[in-house]
């Protein structure tokens, strides 16, 4: 049995107290960074399919992701970004008369470039709608409707069995997921407009969603997030069942690695990770947790958040790719500014939005990271020092002088959770995996949550394998790891034969 100890890079995989700093790092990279610099012309090159940078054939991809990531960040933070408004203005100006962005589709048999165009347009659709949610600008909604109408018109062609069969094999970046990835945007367009044509299109795409070996995981997981969104707007249990089955299929197939990563390409071609796929897996798990409150989804999200998402982020704030080995990762690396950086930023915002939840008047603190939360009559703010002191401070921002229950999750990686108020133990009842403290809270009070970390061994198969050929040591939520550049002697011979 080999011990897997080499997944983290540089700074340890800590994503609790430093989560706010990580968000700021990536936000600064997008707004102020270089190599490349995201100026208006550079971002919009794909919206009009102008050459001059990589991947302009994925029409609307970078521009749509940029719009969506900054829109959701602005909605969360309350900040406004002038460049965001200018990019949306520019995108609307270059939208084609038929509603799509970029180069025209072929007029005959579907070709690879058609799928690339569809992929980017799917990213643009949800980006425009997230911007509309932020600003309520009718011209942004109008552009999204024109794009939705384009997709409705294109549906008979791309929903055909012939196209699905041709592009549902190993086309990878231009596979059938380039069509299905539009699902989340189409669902959101229906939610906003209540136009039944968009609902019909969403249903037809959901019917054509499946997972297969060597598929591009990012496109697949994006589509499954769209299936969850379809459940939210219709309330039809079949869509939730479909999403849960597809999520379970990823786990059962061995495509979730020991640090919570999903490979860029599903097994048997699990060669490297991808920041987009990790962000999608995190967001999908959080989405399913939100609609089901089943603990397994939150635990999976937490594993990915504290380990893979932390490791995947570079010192520049970018997210990207690392080559996978049985022992962890190896060079070369890639800062995927064209997709992963935006998707990683979007996932961090989604995480902050799920730190707390409220139910039946009680406030639930679910993830031991920074973030705001509000229940009926009670507002709180979490400041985490989990990686330094094993504690989180929960400050009461506002209280209405009525009794409220505060429920704090005891994660499976902690042997105990202790609560204190004003330096004194706070009485709490343990129920359903939470510690519950019910009282009349006062503004300015601070509850200190202290976690006793559990050390545990986790066994898992190697990259996509089902057999338990590997073991990893976790301390609390973190996979213990070795950075080969910082500790080269750890890997001296006979490293490959080390036994535990």
């Amino acid at each position: 049995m080999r011990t897997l100890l080499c997944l983290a890079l540089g700074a340890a995989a800590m994503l609790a107290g430093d989560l706010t700093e990580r968000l700021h790092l990536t936000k600064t990279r997008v707004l102020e960074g270089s190599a490349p610099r995201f100026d208006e012309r550079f971002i919009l090159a794909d919206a009009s399919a102008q050459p001059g940078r990589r991947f302009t054939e994925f029409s609307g991809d970078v521009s749509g992701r940029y719009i969506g990531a900054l829109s959701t960040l602005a909605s969360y933070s309350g900040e406004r970004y002038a460049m965001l408004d200018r990019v949306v203005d520019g995108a609307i100006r270059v939208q084609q008369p038929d509603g799509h962005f970029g180069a025209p589709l072929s007029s005959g048999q579907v070709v690879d470039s058609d799928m690339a165009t569809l992929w980017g347009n799917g990213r643009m659709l949800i980006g425009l709608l997230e911007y509309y949610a932020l600003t309520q600008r009718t011209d942004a909604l109008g552009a999204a409707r024109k794009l939705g109408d384009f997709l409705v018109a294109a549906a008979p062609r791309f929903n055909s069995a012939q196209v699905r069969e041709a592009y549902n094999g190993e086309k990878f970046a231009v596979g059938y997921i380039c069509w299905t990835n539009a699902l989340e945007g189409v669902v959101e367009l229906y939610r906003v407009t209540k136009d039944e044509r968009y609902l019909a299109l969403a249903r037809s795409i959901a019917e054509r969603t499946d997972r297969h070996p060597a598929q591009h995981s990012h496109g697949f997981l994006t589509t499954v997030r769209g299936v969850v969104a379809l459940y939210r707007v219709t309330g039809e249990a079949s869509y939730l069942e479909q999403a849960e089955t597809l999520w379970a299929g990823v786990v059962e197939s061995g495509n979730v690695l020991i640090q919570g990563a999903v490979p860029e390409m599903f097994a048997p071609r699990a060669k490297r990770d991808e920041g987009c796929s990790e962000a999608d897996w995190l967001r999908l798990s959080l989405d399913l947790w939100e609609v089901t409150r089943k603990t397994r989804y939150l635990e999976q999200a937490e594993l990915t958040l504290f380990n893979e998402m932390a490791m995947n982020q570079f010192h520049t704030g970018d997210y990207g790719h690392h080559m996978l080995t049985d022992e962890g990762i190896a060079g070369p690396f890639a800062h995927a500014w064209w997709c992963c950086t935006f998707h990683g930023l979007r996932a961090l915002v989604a995480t902050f939005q799920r730190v707390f939840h409220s139910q039946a008047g009680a406030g639930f603190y679910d993830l031991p990271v920074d973030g705001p939360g509000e229940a009926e009559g009670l507002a709180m703010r979490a400041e985490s020092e989990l990686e330094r002191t094993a504690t989180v401070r929960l400050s009461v921002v506002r209280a209405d002088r009525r009794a409220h229950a505060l429920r704090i999750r005891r994660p499976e990686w902690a042997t105990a959770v202790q609560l204190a108020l004003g330096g004194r133990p706070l009485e709490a009842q343990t129920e359903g995996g939470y510690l519950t403290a019910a009282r009349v809270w006062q503004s300015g009070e601070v509850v200190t949550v202290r976690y006793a970390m559990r050390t545990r061994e986790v066994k898992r198969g190697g990259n996509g394998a089902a057999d338990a050929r590997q073991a990893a040591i976790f301390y609390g939520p973190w996979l213990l790891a070795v950075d080969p550049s910082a500790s080269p002697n750890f890997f001296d011979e006979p490293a490959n034969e080390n036994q535990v």
Side-chain angles (χ1 to χ4, degrees), residues 97-369:
D98 66 357
H100 89 283
F101 292 83
L105 299 184
S106 65
S107 58
Q109 182 177 348
V110 171
V111 295
D112 290 358
S113 61
D114 294 333
M115 305 308 287
T117 298
L118 288 173
W119 172 270
N121 276 261
R123 298 300 84 216
M124 178 65 86
L125 178 59
I126 189 62
L128 286 170
L129 289 166
E130 288 171 329
Y131 181 79
Y132 173 71
L134 170 70
T135 64
Q136 295 298 294
R137 272 182 50 177
T138 56
D139 57 346
L141 178 58
R145 293 198 70 149
K146 287 177 63 178
L147 179 49
D149 292 345
F150 166 81
L151 295 173
V152 169
R157 186 182 184 195
F158 291 96
N159 277 340
S160 71
Q162 179 183 8
V163 172
R164 185 183 181 192
E165 181 179 359
Y167 281 88
N168 218 13
E170 296 187 9
K171 288 285 190 178
F172 191 56
V174 291
Y176 198 64
I177 48 91
C178 291
W179 169 243
T180 64
N181 94 99
L183 180 56
E184 63 174 332
V186 174
V187 172
E188 177 65 7
L189 189 56
Y190 167 71
R191 189 192 68 80
V192 171
T193 67
K194 296 299 183 285
D195 188 325
E196 293 291 333
R197 296 176 305 142
Y198 305 139
L199 178 59
L201 174 59
R203 291 185 188 279
S204 70
I205 293 175
E207 290 174 3
R208 290 161 173 80
T209 297
D210 60 4
R211 181 185 58 81
H212 57 76
Q215 188 180 30
H216 191 182
S217 60
H218 171 29
F220 168 78
L221 294 171
T222 294
T223 305
V224 181
R225 289 193 295 101
V227 175
V228 178
L230 189 54
Y231 164 71
R232 290 181 189 271
V233 301
T234 65
E236 295 175 18
S238 61
Y239 291 121
L240 178 57
E241 180 181 354
Q242 179 184 6
E244 289 196 89
T245 298
L246 292 171
W247 185 93
V250 175
V251 175
E252 293 163 2
S253 64
N255 276 297
V256 181
L257 308 184
I258 205 160
Q259 77 274 29
V262 174
E264 180 186 30
M265 184 181 290
F266 286 135
R269 297 190 177 182
K271 302 298 184 185
R272 63 181 189 174
D273 67 350
E274 180 183 24
C276 290
S277 298
E278 318 319 334
D280 280 324
W281 184 241
L282 172 61
R283 290 176 63 192
L284 174 59
S285 298
L286 288 173
D287 285 346
L288 287 172
W289 155 248
E290 191 170 57
V291 298
T292 68
R293 298 304 176 197
K294 294 178 181 178
T295 305
R296 64 175 176 268
Y297 299 125
L298 184 59
E299 290 177 345
Q300 182 60 66
E302 199 170 51
L303 172 67
T304 302
L305 178 68
F306 279 89
N307 296 284
E308 173 59 27
M309 286 296 291
M311 183 274 290
N312 191 274
Q313 187 182 34
F314 294 95
H315 72 280
T316 61
D318 287 304
Y319 289 82
H321 302 281
H322 307 80
M323 297 302 295
L324 300 171
T325 71
D326 281 344
E327 289 78 28
I329 60 172
F333 310 136
H335 295 215
W337 54 259
W338 53 89
C339 57
C340 298
T341 298
F342 305 114
H343 228 55
L345 178 60
R346 182 67 182 83
L348 290 178
V349 175
T351 300
F352 278 115
Q353 293 169 329
R354 279 19 181 266
V355 172
F356 286 88
H357 82 275
S358 62
Q359 185 175 327
F364 291 71
Y365 182 57
D366 299 314
L367 285 169
V369 299

Side-chain angles (χ1 to χ4, degrees), residues 34-56:
S34 59
R37 178 173 176 265
F38 295 121
D39 59 29
E40 184 178 352
R41 180 177 179 182
F42 186 89
I43 295 165
L44 288 170
D46 57 18
S48 55
Q50 294 296 318
R53 66 161 170 82
R54 300 177 70 180
F55 304 127
T56 52

Side-chain angles (χ1 to χ4, degrees), residues 1-4 326-327 469-472 495-500:
M1 177 73 69
R2 287 180 294 170
T3 302
L4 183 64
D326 281 344
E327 289 78 28
R469 297 187 296 109
Q470 299 172 325
N496 290 336
E497 300 300 324
N498 283 347
Q499 301 291 316
V500 176

